[in-house]
Amino acid sequence: MATAFDLTTSSLTSSLRGWRGTAAFHPAQRQPKNPLELYDIEACPFCRLVREALTEFDLDALIRPCPVGGQRYRPRCEELGGRQQFPFLVDPNTGRQLYESADIIDYLATTYQRPAPGTHGLRRRLAVATSLAASAVRYGHGRKARPSRAPDQPLELFSFESSPNVIPVRERLCELELPYLLRNTGKGRWTDMGPPAVRDRLLHAPGATTRNRKLLFERTGRVQVPYLIDPNTGVEMFESTAIVAYLDKTYAA
Ligand SMILES: N[C@@H](CCC(=O)N[C@@H](CS)C(=O)NCC(=O)O)C(=O)O
């Protein structure tokens, strides 16, 4: 579990966003053959809106973290798109490359067949304002690069955007510029809601509804996030604080 401070501030962050990025009740009708690639800053309010959509659309993405001062993926983003601005989406399935969070969300909705959440007008302005406030609450986390060693292969993280236990893990992955396959594990029905220990006891619901929830349940016998897989070391683990400690020990320089 994350520390009390992290849990409180991360819960406040997600509350400010109305817990968007939790449910995948209406997933995309199509799945990309090859993973989408997102050049992303965890603390960026615009990147958050895209990651929320990825959870709600039930789409995975290879995250290429681009924290302030980072050297690993920022130059590549500029090479491809012409400037260092985040979020930046690359879809290897269609060859499309896009800046602008609203355009990215609209593109994902159209291409992978799912109605877009409000990306215009008052709803958009409200989304940006609350996402800015959410980032302010976790200010100093998931924004600036820390020296690190690059892994040979991307890590994998089972996650959903609003999870207070996952936020500190994604922040550290970003700070250390560690690429990872974001396996979105959004909730597929109301009985998936609530912390696993309570939910599974009261509702007898292991929550193996959406693609990655099934995958996680088959692999571990539980549906709990964060769950990290590091193919470079063979390590697989639950628990936010332990994962952050593992990332520091293994990759921080
Ligand atoms: N209107 C853009 C705004 C994107 C934006 O301002 N991103 C900031 C990060 S929050 C950025 O790229 N900053 C450049 C940098 O960090 O070097 C969108 O919605 O995607």
Side-chain angles (χ1 to χ4, degrees), residues 22 32 45 49 57 71 74 91 118 120 128 133 148 156 158 163 172-173 176 183 185 198 200 229 235 237 239 252:
T22 303
L49 299 179
F57 295 8
Q71 293 299 324
R74 280 185 164 245
D91 185 344
H120 299 282
V128 171
S148 71
E156 286 182 38
F158 287 80
S163 165
R172 188 62 109 243
L173 286 163
L176 295 173
R183 288 198 177 276
T185 316
V198 181
D200 294 348
I229 300 177
V235 163
M237 60 201 297
E239 293 300 328

Side-chain angles (χ1 to χ4, degrees), residues 72-253:
R72 202 161 288 153
Y73 296 113
R74 280 185 164 245
R76 180 78 183 137
C77 173
E78 191 168 353
E79 229 174 87
L80 291 171
R83 59 190 192 276
Q84 294 191 11
Q85 180 183 300
F86 312 99
F88 176 62
L89 180 85
V90 176
D91 185 344
N93 305 285
T94 60
R96 282 297 299 277
Q97 303 184 353
L98 295 98
Y99 289 108
E100 292 300 325
S101 51
D103 293 345
I104 294 173
I105 295 167
D106 285 341
Y107 166 79
L108 292 173
T110 308
T111 310
Y112 295 102
Q113 296 171 4
R114 201 267 189 198
T119 50
H120 299 282
L122 187 61
R123 282 181 74 170
R124 166 72 182 177
R125 286 200 290 280
L126 198 62
V128 171
T130 50
S131 195
L132 277 162
S135 290
V137 170
R138 289 290 290 167
Y139 188 79
H141 297 88
R143 199 178 81 84
K144 269 178 135 170
R146 298 177 183 228
S148 71
R149 187 172 73 70
D152 291 336
Q153 299 179 61
L155 282 63
E156 286 182 38
L157 184 72
F158 287 80
S159 157
F160 59 89
E161 180 57 29
S162 66
S163 165
N165 285 302
V166 180
I167 289 171
V169 172
R170 290 198 314 261
E171 287 169 347
R172 188 62 109 243
L173 286 163
C174 181
E175 291 163 1
L176 295 173
E177 298 181 89
L178 301 175
Y180 62 100
L181 181 63
L182 178 67
R183 288 198 177 276
N184 271 307
T185 316
K187 293 163 189 272
R189 58 179 181 201
W190 73 268
T191 43
D192 293 347
M193 298 293 176
V198 181
R199 175 196 69 208
D200 294 348
R201 199 166 312 137
L202 289 184
L203 302 173
H204 307 290
T209 52
T210 49
R211 281 173 317 116
N212 286 328
R213 294 175 88 82
K214 286 189 189 121
L215 203 66
L216 185 57
F217 188 68
E218 278 159 22
R219 195 168 183 119
T220 68
R222 281 152 82 181
V223 180
Q224 180 183 307
V225 296
Y227 186 70
L228 180 83
I229 300 177
D230 186 347
N232 304 286
T233 59
V235 163
E236 301 196 11
M237 60 201 297
F238 288 108
E239 293 300 328
S240 178
T241 312
I243 294 174
V244 171
Y246 166 79
L247 295 174
D248 283 346
K249 190 177 85 186
T250 313
Y251 294 108

